[in-house]
Amino acid sequence: MENLLQRLEKNWKLCSLDENLEKKKLKNRKKIPLRVIVCVSGGSDSVALLHLLNKLSKLLFLELHILHFNHQLRSDSDKEQRFVKTLAENLQIPFYSKKNNDFSKRYSGFQELARKWRIAESQSLLESLRGDYIATAHHADDQIETLLLKILRGVHISKLQGMSWRSTPFIRPLLNFKKSELQDYLKR
């Protein structure tokens, strides 16, 4: 049976098959690594993604950067940010954080507003770093949730699809991992 690192390596190759292939070949010839922003919330999914990508970074020729979003909505928000920053320091990976004090859970469109903010901030950092990808820790359980929510909303069958491995510049290399597998990995 494949281990998680082998699966992630295969998934990475699947995610990175895109229109930038020539760009990547040129970078590899020049020995320039792919710059990847890893979005890390501090939860088990994103921490597992970070550890797995860090272990594969030499093999896949990646330069990792960590991005943490602090929505300032819970009393633990700053504690989570410090945890991710410490993780970045321990792994010697550049750390970036974005804070937003304007969010309120009472606002009915909060989730969508927060998602748009994270996308814009991620893309802005990617541009400033001249990066290649933004990796998120969406996994198989998230995929099921996405499909169920669409079914409950009454989406037409022709529009019923889950998240894709890639919507450039975003990649989701954990889409075929169960949350329990990621949690087990972190316990080892």
Side-chain angles (χ1 to χ4, degrees), residues 8 21 34 37 39 41 44 49 51 64 70 74 77 84 120 128 131 134 149-150 158 165 168:
L8 184 65
L21 195 56
L34 289 173
I37 296 171
C39 295
S41 66
S44 60
L49 174 64
H51 280 290
L64 301 178
N70 185 338
R74 294 185 330 278
S77 293
V84 176
S128 71
I134 301 165
L149 285 172
K150 286 183 177 183
S158 65
W165 289 94
T168 306

Side-chain angles (χ1 to χ4, degrees), residues 99-159:
K99 274 189 181 182
N100 191 322
N101 297 316
D102 299 330
F103 289 132
S104 170
K105 281 187 177 178
R106 290 174 296 222
Y107 175 67
S108 63
F110 158 73
Q111 292 289 348
E112 183 62 18
L113 186 65
R115 188 179 76 79
K116 286 179 179 178
W117 172 68
R118 290 190 303 269
I119 289 170
E121 292 293 343
S122 299
Q123 290 175 323
S124 175
L125 179 60
L126 187 73
E127 191 176 306
S128 71
L129 293 173
R130 292 195 157 120
D132 299 287
Y133 295 110
I134 301 165
T136 66
H138 293 101
H139 49 75
D141 300 46
D142 295 323
Q143 188 75 295
I144 292 168
E145 180 184 327
T146 298
L147 289 170
L148 287 174
L149 285 172
K150 286 183 177 183
I151 290 168
L152 291 172
R153 287 186 194 133
V155 170
H156 189 271
I157 190 117
S158 65
K159 301 284 185 193

Side-chain angles (χ1 to χ4, degrees), residues 4-5 47-49 51-53 55 179-188:
L4 267 60
L5 287 170
V47 171
L49 174 64
H51 280 290
L52 288 163
L53 285 178
K55 284 188 177 189
K179 183 177 186 77
S180 59
E181 290 178 294
L182 299 172
Q183 291 171 331
D184 289 345
Y185 172 77
L186 290 174
K187 289 176 186 172
R188 293 184 220 160

